[in-house]
Amino acid sequence: MLLEGTGMKVSEMLVPTLREIPAEAEVVSHQLLLKAGFIRKAAAGVYNLLPLAWRVVKKIEQIIREEMDRQGGQELMMPIVQPAELWRESGRWDVYGPELFRLKDRHGRDFCLGPTHEEIITTLVKGDINSYKQLPLLLYQIQNKYRDERRPRFGLLRGREFIMKDLYSFDYDQDGLDVSYNKMYEAYNNIFSRCGLDFRPVVADSGAIGGKDTHEFMVLAESGEATIVYCEGKECGYAANEERAEAVVTGVKDDTPVLELKKIHTPDCRTIADLASFLKVAPERMIKTMLYTTEKETVAALVRGDREINEIKLYNILGCVKLDMAGPATVLAVTGAQTGFAGPVQLKGVRIVADPEVMTMTNAVCGANEDDHHLVNINLGRDFEPDIVTDIRLVKSGEPCPNCGNKLLEARGIEVGQVFKLGDKYSKAMNATFLDENGQARLFIMGCYGIGVTRTMAAAVEQYHDERGIIWPAQIAPYHVAVLPVNHKDEHQFGTAESIYRQLVATGVEAVLDDRPERAGVKFKDADLVGYPLRITVGDKGLAAGQVELTTRQTGDMKMVPLDKIVDEVKSSLLGLGYTGL
RNA sequence: CGGGAUGUAGCGCAGCUUGGCUAGCGCGCCUGCCUUGGGAGCAGGAGGCCGGGGGUUCGAAUCCCUCCAUCCCGACCA
């Protein structure tokens, strides 16, 4: 194990803990990492990782390396500064937008800081891999990446500079890619388990990177930016990003008699809620009509009144580059009415996309495309006809699982990793080929697999903390145990503490000795704040009986341990906390 | 990028409305005494281009203009 057998005296360590939380920090991981002396800001979204944080990062990296290597991955290093030509070749120089950090050298040539490394690795492999005999190839790197975020925030959770692991797979064909993908999927499960995190792989949207299959690995935490839904049934295992979760059509088309279409006056009823209370009609009986504009057209999207539109799904269906809700001017031009009175009946000049649930509705209510008026008893076929019928709504907790029908639950997650099947997107754009057994050129079939290393560290803090500070999982804790003499002037206490510290370090436990001339309370507070999994307290009471206290940070449990048993006791406690490095 | 806010000592803040002596408070830091099981006490001390620039004024932390930085809320992502 990389860091085995290390120890440090707290008086010699750079651990600048604070008594108060800097005002700029909002989320708990940011607050605690600052307060506990792990990080300091250099610029918005750019941080110094102080010694404790760097140790955590190295431990996470080490776990990643072991799991990547186990699957046949080979680590390499690639440049952070990359020439624009490569990005022009893949087409991303123009597509990537302002998030790409761009710079010029002294000759005026364009470069960028790598936000990801598909271009450069594809070029590398293109140059040096010529034969199918050299495949599959799994290459990875762990290094700084850059993204000029519109709004860096949440400390390490969304920085502009961050440490990331990316593995790129190169395969002969789709079947090979499936194998590589599965290897990485397994590796990721191992990695996040070994980091001691509570996480879940979820079906995800592939976004701008394209490609078909993709999973995100989510660390479950209240502060997570993503919403995931998952099946309550343990055997089923269905879990998806809310963006991607499939909706089950619950209604059925019944044989209720179709009534006569009527237009009614509905003054100031602009929302479903207004209308429901005005007409005394349930939202499930209404059709919500939302107008969206893309770079090429305006479309109307229909969902049941109690549902919400999933813009990601709509975006994917339309195959557009930009999707925005239509402004008041567009709404007026298309419907002839102000916002809030749109409906599919007699709606001209726009495509209508309807959620399947809408197709089951009879005698529904919708906007009349006229100020202060709605239509009642509108019916599919007679009154309107959608151009596209497909799932475009947001799935909520409580709905049936698309896989097994059990109930879906909701949770918040922090995305710490994602696995992608890229296919030939980059190899095609950059003409990266190899020769197959028939001497024919074939495109590499690629996959990419990322883990946000610094984000994973922050996610661990989000998941494991209390009001006193961080509670590191033993596997990624900067040190395992803090040895703490209560009274630094008491030579017996201090000598005993130092002796325990030396024994621990000698046996491979990572320990610190809090030798500072501080009062006990200060040391306790700092130890809790920094989050060492274990604490050994050497004080009068225990020593009189030849004992010291061993406290577990996570549970607060304390037990008295005889001096000659303390090293063994620490080891078995670490084992109990899931640490396997001893 | 749109909306909102904030920049005063290492951290947290007051002072600004209504311009006026040497710019304050708490914590931290340094020295000494004292204390020693959950961020002790007393005494002394160091530390400020009041975000930058420009203006108004006899006089600006305070009023005006401008730039910069930082944070929060929305749309994108590991």
Side-chain angles (χ1 to χ4, degrees), chain A residues 227-254:
Chain A
T227 300
I228 66 173
V229 297
Y230 60 98
C231 183
E232 65 175 352
K234 290 232 162 38
E235 319 76 46
C236 171
Y238 180 81
N241 191 311
E242 172 190 66
E243 296 174 343
R244 174 62 195 274
E246 298 164 49
V248 172
V249 179
T250 51
V252 280
K253 185 79 177 168
D254 56 24

Side-chain angles (χ1 to χ4, degrees), chain A residues 326-340:
Chain A
T330 308
V331 172
L332 185 64
V334 170
T335 68
Q338 294 177 50
T339 310

Side-chain angles (χ1 to χ4, degrees), chain A residues 151-446:
Chain A
R151 178 148 88 90
R153 56 181 148 170
F154 303 152
L156 255 33
L157 284 174
R158 183 180 293 275
R160 295 194 293 174
E161 176 181 81
F162 50 93
I163 300 173
M164 192 163 145
K165 186 282 304 183
D166 257 324
L167 183 142
Y168 300 95
S169 66
F170 296 84
D171 276 288
Y172 182 94
D173 58 11
Q174 194 64 37
D175 288 347
L177 171 58
D178 290 344
V179 172
S180 295
Y181 187 90
N182 290 337
K183 282 182 178 175
M184 286 302 114
Y185 187 90
E186 182 188 335
Y188 276 36
N189 276 305
N190 291 342
I191 288 165
F192 296 118
S193 297
R194 287 183 59 188
C195 287
L197 296 168
D198 184 14
F199 70 100
R200 207 175 280 268
V202 303
V203 176
D205 182 73
S206 56
I209 302 182
K212 284 182 292 181
D213 289 335
T214 177
H215 288 83
E216 290 167 337
F217 286 76
M218 298 284 190
V219 167
L220 302 182
E222 273 309 306
S223 58
E225 292 183 86
T227 300
I228 66 173
V229 297
Y230 60 98
C231 183
E232 65 175 352
K234 290 232 162 38
E235 319 76 46
C236 171
Y238 180 81
N241 191 311
E242 172 190 66
E243 296 174 343
R244 174 62 195 274
E246 298 164 49
V248 172
V249 179
T250 51
V252 280
K253 185 79 177 168
D254 56 24
D255 47 9
T256 309
V258 170
L259 302 174
E260 191 191 339
L261 182 68
K262 273 193 286 194
K263 180 158 74 178
I264 53 173
H265 188 55
T266 52
D268 287 327
C269 289
R270 288 166 176 274
T271 65
I272 295 287
D274 292 344
L275 199 59
S277 65
F278 183 80
L279 291 178
K280 305 282 187 283
V281 170
E284 299 91 272
R285 302 265 332 277
M286 303 175 187
I287 296 175
K288 188 188 282 184
T289 305
M290 305 283 284
L291 291 166
Y292 284 89
T293 57
T294 71
E295 71 279 8
K296 41 185 197 233
E297 62 177 337
T298 301
V299 298
L302 310 184
V303 292
R304 218 169 71 184
D306 59 328
R307 305 300 195 187
E308 282 174 53
I309 289 177
N310 180 330
E311 294 187 2
I312 304 277
K313 288 180 182 175
L314 185 59
Y315 175 89
N316 287 338
I317 294 305
L318 297 172
C320 54
V321 179
K322 254 184 67 175
L323 180 72
D324 293 299
M325 277 183 61
T330 308
V331 172
L332 185 64
V334 170
T335 68
Q338 294 177 50
T339 310
F341 301 100
V345 180
Q346 300 290 314
L347 194 60
K348 304 286 188 217
V350 300
R351 286 202 289 167
I352 297 176
V353 184
D355 188 81
E357 240 170 21
V358 173
M359 309 306 282
T360 69
M361 298 172 72
T362 304
N363 299 325
V365 179
C366 72
N369 298 322
E370 181 181 332
D371 284 354
D372 296 330
H373 286 85
H374 281 79
L375 298 174
V376 298
N377 300 331
I378 75 158
N379 284 282
L380 179 71
R382 182 189 72 184
D383 304 319
F384 72 100
E385 196 68 60
D387 299 282
I388 302 172
V389 177
T390 187
D391 176 12
I392 53 167
R393 71 180 180 86
L394 205 57
V395 175
K396 295 287 189 187
S397 67
E399 292 192 38
C401 168
N403 195 34
C404 72
N406 273 324
K407 208 160 65 166
L408 288 174
L409 302 174
E410 233 176 69
R412 305 284 293 173
I414 299 167
E415 184 189 344
V416 289
Q418 185 159 20
V419 290
F420 265 111
K421 290 185 183 176
L422 293 173
D424 61 8
K425 182 182 164 98
Y426 292 93
S427 48
K428 197 170 188 175
M430 307 188 75
N431 194 30
T433 60
F434 59 93
L435 293 180
D436 67 13
E437 58 272 54
N438 299 315
Q440 299 295 309
R442 294 175 68 117
L443 293 169
F444 291 105
I445 302 302
M446 297 172 55

